[in-house]
Amino acid sequence: MDGFDLNSSEKADASELQMMIAIEQQKAQFQAQVHTFTDVCWDKCMERSPSSKMDSRTDLPRELC
């Protein structure tokens, strides 16, 4: 018996595992993008000395707060 022969149940399990791995990779990519965007936004907001009032350029839209 060859070690690479899989029955239908094992094939289904392998397929499900591949799907789960792909989903987790997509989640990790999304989280990395969110992290990058957060860094960019933080740097943008902090490039000038903080003041008690934000101008129209640095003020965040209410949808993002």
Side-chain angles (χ1 to χ4, degrees):
M1 180 172 155
D2 190 0
F4 295 104
D5 289 337
L6 299 175
N7 65 34
S8 62
S9 175
E10 290 171 328
K11 287 180 184 177
D13 288 346
S15 178
E16 184 177 349
L17 181 59
Q18 286 177 338
M19 177 86 66
M20 289 172 58
I21 289 170
I23 289 169
E24 291 303 317
Q25 287 173 331
Q26 287 176 345
K27 286 180 185 178
Q29 288 174 339
F30 177 78
Q31 289 173 339
Q33 262 189 325
V34 168
H35 181 74
T36 299
F37 292 148
T38 300
D39 283 347
V40 169
C41 290
W42 177 263
D43 291 343
K44 191 109 176 125
C45 287
M46 293 298 146
E47 67 186 13
R48 292 188 250 159
S49 61
S51 67
S52 62
K53 184 177 179 186
M54 291 183 149
D55 61 18
S56 62
R57 182 174 167 247
T58 56
D59 196 15
L60 292 175
R62 295 206 183 275
E63 305 87 51
L64 297 177
C65 297

